[in-house]
């Protein structure tokens, strides 16, 4: 799939910016190949730099604030040069995608309203010229795809997909935002929980999977939330029994969720606790998420999955 974006001619410089991707479909950890072509009008144009940025719409950390356009990753593809009048310059690039790049496509279908684009910035003092946004389609890593497919097979149905313009406390991240995928609970698990949120934090070695569980008791006006974290490696992903793995994670998380709920202070409007499962060799990062709030049981350790 080859996609292009062309800026309108700038009125004060006559510069035109054209960005083309060799293939707009990619996945985290890969390089996005393409080419930027800048063409001058009737005058010479002193270009300071040409830079690419990945842009998406994200929710701010403040739930009351509106969604906004966020550039979460950028890289320079050319330094300073002078583009002579009437001339063009073609700049090839291979933009490396961070391992934490949010996923926008699963099974060939867009994840609800998630969209991502590549923006080209050409700096010309005293202003910037920007090419038209080029769509980018990010498919999941094999580990992510296996987990999403297992949840679907187990009966979980996605109800929302969004990005939050904030870091996760206590989680090692490279990007300033994170992705949340919300599911209605599958019938098999619907007693202990009503909703599930899934967060992926990937790196070159593996994937941290964060399961955020809700149980809303409408008549009592109470919500209980808990968090569990699991680690899985990319190596050997195709040989793993993913249904058993994901079911095991869910059962472990639900057991902690139920145990915390049993000890919660139900006089509180919201009772929150965080429970962490990690690889035995992985250091504990205190302070993640919801531990220590009203009625919470704090952060508990568990046997992680590092196979």
């Amino acid at each position: 799939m080859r996609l292009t974006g062309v800026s309108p001619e700038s009125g004060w410089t006559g510069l035109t910016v054209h960005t083309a991707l060799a293939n707009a479909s990619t996945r985290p950890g890969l390089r996005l190949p393409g080419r930027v072509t800048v063409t001058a009008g009737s005058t010479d144009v002193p270009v300071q730099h040409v830079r690419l940025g990945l842009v998406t719409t994200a929710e701010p950390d403040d739930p009351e604030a509106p969604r906004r356009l966020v550039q979460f990753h950028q890289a320079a593809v050319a330094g300073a040069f002078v583009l002579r009048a009437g001339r063009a310059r073609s700049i090839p690039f291979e933009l490396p995608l961070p391992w934490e790049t949010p996923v926008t496509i699963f099974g060939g279908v867009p994840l609800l309203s998630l969209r991502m684009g590549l923006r080209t910035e050409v700096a010309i003092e005293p202003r910037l010229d920007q090419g038209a946004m080029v769509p980018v389609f990010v498919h999941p890593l094999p580990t992510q795809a296996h987990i999403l497919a297992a949840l679907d097979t187990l009966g979980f149905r996605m109800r929302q997909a969004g990005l939050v313009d904030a870091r996760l406390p206590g989680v090692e991240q490279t990007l300033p935002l994170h992705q949340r995928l919300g599911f209605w609970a599958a019938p098999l698990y619907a007693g202990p929980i009503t909703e599930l949120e899934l967060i992926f934090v990937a790196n070159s070695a593996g994937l941290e999977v964060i399961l955020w569980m809700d149980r809303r008791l409408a008549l009592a006006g109470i919500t209980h939330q808990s968090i569990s974290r699991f680690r899985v490696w990319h190596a050997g992903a195709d040989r793993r029994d993913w249904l058993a793995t994901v079911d095991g994670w869910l059962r472990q998380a639900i057991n902690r969720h139920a145990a915390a709920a049993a000890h919660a202070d139900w006089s509180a409007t919201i009772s929150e606790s965080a429970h962490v499962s990690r690889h035995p060799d992985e250091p504990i990062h205190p302070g993640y998420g919801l531990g220590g709030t009203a009625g919470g049981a704090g952060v508990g350790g568990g046997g992680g999955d590092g196979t």
Side-chain angles (χ1 to χ4, degrees):
M1 181 186 298
R2 183 179 178 88
L3 292 178
T4 64
V6 184
S7 71
E9 186 176 281
S10 172
W12 73 283
T13 65
L15 186 73
T16 300
V17 181
H18 176 276
T19 303
L21 295 178
N23 188 347
S25 291
T26 185
R27 74 183 192 197
L30 297 183
R31 292 179 176 271
L32 190 64
R35 185 177 299 273
V36 176
T37 303
V38 288
T39 306
S42 58
T43 60
D44 294 351
V45 180
V47 175
Q48 294 182 323
H49 67 250
V50 179
R51 185 176 295 156
L52 300 173
L54 287 174
V55 179
T56 189
T57 302
E59 305 279 350
D61 202 18
D62 178 3
E64 301 299 322
R67 294 198 306 169
R68 58 175 178 255
L69 202 62
V70 176
Q71 180 169 291
F72 63 90
H73 176 62
Q74 65 178 16
V77 295
F81 62 93
V82 175
L83 190 62
R84 300 301 178 188
R87 302 295 296 272
R89 177 168 177 175
S90 182
I91 306 165
F93 63 82
E94 288 191 346
L95 177 69
L97 267 65
W99 286 93
E100 295 172 21
T101 301
V103 174
T104 64
I105 298 283
F106 175 58
V109 179
L111 287 177
L112 303 180
S113 62
L114 290 182
R115 300 291 184 271
M116 190 178 301
L118 182 69
R119 182 163 63 188
T120 306
E121 172 189 285
V122 181
I124 308 165
E125 193 175 352
R127 59 195 290 183
L128 299 177
D129 270 5
Q130 293 183 340
M133 202 88 70
V134 181
V136 176
F137 307 100
V138 183
H139 297 255
L141 294 163
T143 44
Q144 294 171 326
H146 285 306
I147 292 167
L148 291 172
L151 286 172
D152 184 72
T153 301
L154 292 169
F156 286 84
R157 295 295 174 258
M158 191 175 295
R159 63 181 183 84
Q160 66 179 18
L163 303 172
V164 180
D165 187 20
R167 294 182 182 272
L168 292 161
V171 177
E172 187 175 338
Q173 290 179 259
T174 61
L175 295 184
L177 50 70
H178 64 278
Q179 182 173 30
R180 293 191 178 191
L181 304 176
F183 299 82
W184 297 117
L188 181 63
Y189 311 90
I193 63 172
T194 53
E195 296 176 26
L196 171 71
E197 280 197 351
L198 172 67
I199 301 171
F200 291 130
V201 182
N203 59 32
S204 59
L207 185 68
E208 185 160 11
V209 182
I210 300 171
L211 301 181
W212 192 318
M213 294 184 168
D214 278 9
R215 187 187 183 196
R216 288 183 169 82
L217 305 179
L219 294 179
I222 294 170
T223 296
H224 180 72
Q225 298 178 322
S226 65
I227 297 172
S228 294
R229 292 165 60 181
F230 302 89
R231 165 72 66 175
V232 65
W233 312 123
H234 299 313
D238 291 336
R239 299 189 300 273
R240 178 184 287 267
D241 184 342
W242 284 100
L243 277 179
T245 297
V246 174
D247 175 71
W249 291 347
L250 290 165
R251 293 180 184 278
Q252 288 183 51
I254 286 171
N255 287 340
R256 294 192 193 93
H257 183 82
H263 294 89
D265 177 7
W266 294 110
S267 63
T269 304
I270 298 180
S271 175
E272 303 173 329
S273 59
H275 308 280
V276 180
S277 177
R278 61 175 60 80
H279 189 272
D281 297 329
E282 199 172 354
I284 294 175
H285 301 287
Y288 174 76
L290 305 174
T293 55
V299 177
D305 181 0
T307 58

